[in-house]
Amino acid sequence: MTAPSTSADHNLPYDLVGVGIGPFNLSLAALADGVPGFRSLFLDAKPAFSWHPGLLMEGTTLQVPFLADLVTMADPTSPWSYLNYLRSHDRMFKFFFSERFHIPRREYDHYCRWVAERLVSCRFDSEVTALEWDENADAFALRYRSASGAETRVLAHQVVLGVGTDPVVPEPLRPLLTDAHAGRVLHSADYRTYRTRLAEADDVTVIGAGQSGAEVALDLLRHQDGDGQGGPYVRWLARTTAFAPMEYSKIGLEHFTPDYIRYFRHLPEATREELVREQWQLYKGVSEETLGEIYDELYERTIGGGEPRATLQPGVEIVAAEADRQGYLLTCRAQQQDSLFEVRTSAIVSATGYTASRPAFLESMGDLVDWDDRGRYQIDGEYRVALDPRVSGTLYVQNAEMHTHGVGAPDLTLGAWRAATILNAAAGHSVLPVAPRQAFTTFGAPQSPTSAERATTVPDGAATTPSGTPR
């Protein structure tokens, strides 16, 4: 482990400070641990590590194999691997005999907490309140507040933002996200908190065709009695044209490789935007297992001539929502028919995903960030954010680059590889080798050796100026 700072070097700038400790910055912290002479610090406002606590239901699993842990895809010898976690908990034989490739989601959360609690570079109960460029110190200045209210100021030559994403709900539902409707209108991020109350409702409408929506719908179906008569009526609505399985073919998964990122980065912006929309099944689909389990639950209800107390309806958009004494009235539009209809329900769970947002503490740096015309970060091949040339430090970002790097941005598969890429850039040398080619698929026109070399070494591996342009 990296030794904690001593009083003698307390005021020296850190080599790297990370803001937010989710899986991606935790991956970076784990890979940076033990790098000689590299001083890092990671801060998070939460009291302890937690990963989507509202969706940690029994029986849910990761959608990626266990090898996509915090470190293995970049450094399988790291002491912070999932396999070493199992060994530390005396569970290697149990795991071996369970023959699992996709581990329980609750176990992944526990594994990450095991790492976070042991890395001395990780500090929780530390809310970053300001990030500024200090010209006198030639470094970033960060202020963070502890749970007791005490404020601390630290300097850093480089900062990496890993603040995660914020829940998104359809615009018609936003006025209902108030304390008056708590536990009855919510995002799936809070599902586990209100799970018992929802299971006792007469009618629950789940919105969203992704994995979270499927898992919430399945969990509510399982709260019905064996004959399907008790428990809530379950309605699953989605804008997508079908409840479709996630793309999980071996060739299809090569979209989650460094090769595809390099290809995607060099496409015109309009093409990138279109591709992200078209490739929704790569990151918004549902696992075949979960779809099968939902079908089996519904099939059970038909035994003896019964009918499921459930509705599955894709191709539906929520256009209006209002509350009354009977619950909630949703006005919906069947998109392909352009036909309106109404739904009355007792509760609404919006499983409609997440989006990257600009943290409040970054406002003081707003004029120094070179935003694109949609107010998003401009990010180079090593995840540097384009900054004003007056800033000699480097700002990196994780999981806010789908518009520049493609659908792999939020996926755990690429987490360790991206962290290693950032670590190498931050350290100024190759701490961990990053393989240049991983896919059998050739994305785009075949390149000559000369052009291929330019494509990989200039945008994705060259030294750059603070603004992210090659020099």
Side-chain angles (χ1 to χ4, degrees):
M1 299 182 184
T2 302
S5 302
T6 65
S7 57
D9 64 6
H10 179 74
N11 294 320
L12 294 176
Y14 284 92
D15 294 299
L16 181 71
V17 170
V19 184
I21 307 177
F24 296 135
N25 260 1
L26 184 58
S27 173
L28 180 54
L31 292 173
D33 182 54
V35 175
F38 190 80
R39 297 177 64 244
S40 61
L41 175 69
F42 293 82
L43 306 168
D44 197 291
K46 298 189 299 292
F49 182 91
S50 62
W51 182 70
H52 295 302
L55 289 169
L56 296 182
M57 286 95 72
E58 298 81 358
T60 58
T61 62
L62 287 187
Q63 290 182 286
V64 295
F66 71 90
L67 291 172
D69 62 13
L70 297 172
V71 294
T72 297
M73 297 294 281
D75 182 11
T77 68
S78 169
W80 304 116
S81 70
Y82 170 74
L83 289 178
N84 196 42
Y85 156 82
L86 290 175
R87 183 179 68 170
S88 299
H89 289 80
D90 195 24
R91 297 178 63 226
M92 286 293 285
F93 275 87
K94 295 180 178 67
F95 176 72
F96 179 79
F97 293 130
S98 73
E99 296 185 342
R100 288 179 180 268
F101 204 49
H102 294 81
I103 63 176
R105 195 176 292 171
R106 291 171 58 238
E107 184 176 35
Y108 178 78
D109 176 73
H110 189 260
Y111 154 67
C112 288
R113 280 188 283 126
W114 173 78
V115 175
E117 290 167 1
R118 285 158 178 78
L119 285 174
V120 295
S121 62
C122 292
R123 295 182 191 173
F124 292 90
D125 273 328
S126 301
E127 180 184 5
V128 174
T129 57
L131 171 64
E132 300 172 329
W133 177 248
D134 188 329
E135 292 184 359
N136 295 325
D138 197 30
F140 293 102
L142 299 96
R143 294 185 184 276
Y144 65 92
R145 183 187 302 119
S146 69
S148 66
E151 287 205 348
T152 303
R153 183 177 186 266
V154 295
L155 298 174
H157 292 303
Q158 301 171 96
V159 172
V160 56
L161 303 180
V163 295
T165 51
D166 293 331
V168 174
V169 299
E171 192 279 330
L173 296 181
R174 293 172 194 170
L176 300 176
L177 293 175
T178 64
D179 290 342
H181 303 283
R184 293 179 293 157
V185 181
L186 60 141
H187 191 273
S188 56
D190 298 317
Y191 175 71
R192 195 161 174 242
T193 302
Y194 299 104
R195 183 185 186 192
T196 301
R197 184 185 301 184
L198 291 166
E200 295 172 349
D202 293 331
D203 182 298
V204 180
T205 297
V206 181
I207 302 170
Q211 184 69 20
S212 297
E215 288 175 353
V216 170
L218 176 60
D219 190 64
L220 291 169
L221 284 172
R222 287 173 171 168
H223 276 88
Q224 295 179 347
D225 292 343
D227 59 3
Q229 297 306 304
Y233 186 95
V234 179
R235 183 181 297 100
W236 187 19
L237 308 178
R239 287 192 305 173
T240 55
T241 56
F243 296 111
M246 180 171 286
E247 168 60 66
Y248 208 73
S249 67
K250 294 177 182 179
I251 296 296
L253 288 177
E254 290 197 331
H255 286 86
F256 300 96
T257 58
D259 308 64
Y260 185 72
I261 290 176
R262 282 189 285 270
Y263 164 74
F264 185 89
R265 284 192 59 248
H266 294 89
L267 295 173
E269 180 180 352
T271 304
R272 295 199 305 264
E273 299 287 345
E274 183 179 358
L275 272 174
V276 169
R277 290 192 297 269
E278 291 177 350
Q279 294 172 339
W280 63 271
Q281 277 186 257
L282 287 169
Y283 64 103
K284 288 185 178 180
V286 184
S287 72
E288 289 188 10
E289 292 79 5
T290 305
L291 289 174
E293 289 170 355
I294 291 173
Y295 189 91
D296 290 345
E297 288 290 333
L298 298 174
Y299 178 81
E300 287 280 338
R301 307 293 191 269
T302 66
I303 296 174
E307 286 292 331
R309 295 179 56 248
T311 296
L312 277 63
Q313 196 166 3
V316 171
E317 177 186 13
I318 308 300
V319 296
E322 59 182 270
D324 57 30
R325 293 183 179 180
Q326 300 178 59
Y328 302 95
L329 183 66
L330 301 177
T331 301
C332 308
R333 183 173 72 91
Q335 296 177 113
Q336 294 178 346
Q337 298 169 312
D338 194 21
S339 176
L340 296 178
F341 63 96
E342 293 182 340
V343 164
R344 183 165 291 284
T345 188
S346 307
I348 305 164
V349 180
S350 182
T352 42
Y354 301 80
T355 188
S357 61
R358 190 183 307 183
F361 64 77
L362 198 60
E363 290 306 311
S364 57
M365 287 254 330
D367 292 340
L368 297 176
V369 176
D370 187 9
W371 308 102
D372 72 6
D373 57 6
R374 300 192 185 188
R376 302 171 299 190
Y377 302 108
Q378 299 197 72
I379 306 164
D380 75 1
E382 292 178 325
Y383 299 91
R384 297 179 185 90
V385 174
L387 300 176
D388 188 286
R390 290 173 294 173
V391 180
S392 61
T394 306
L395 182 67
Y396 303 91
V397 71
Q398 301 211 64
N399 194 17
E401 73 279 4
M402 186 180 289
H403 61 293
T404 57
H405 287 62
V407 294
D411 196 90
L412 294 175
T413 302
L414 284 160
W417 175 84
R418 177 174 52 198
T421 300
I422 293 172
L423 178 59
N424 288 343
H429 62 93
S430 181
V431 176
L432 294 167
V434 178
R437 181 171 171 81
Q438 294 291 316
F440 292 116
T441 304
T442 297
F443 297 104
Q447 295 177 317
S448 66
T450 302
S451 62
E453 183 180 352
R454 285 198 300 269
T456 57
T457 60
V458 175
D460 292 326
T464 61
T465 66
S467 63
T469 56
R471 67 165 182 252

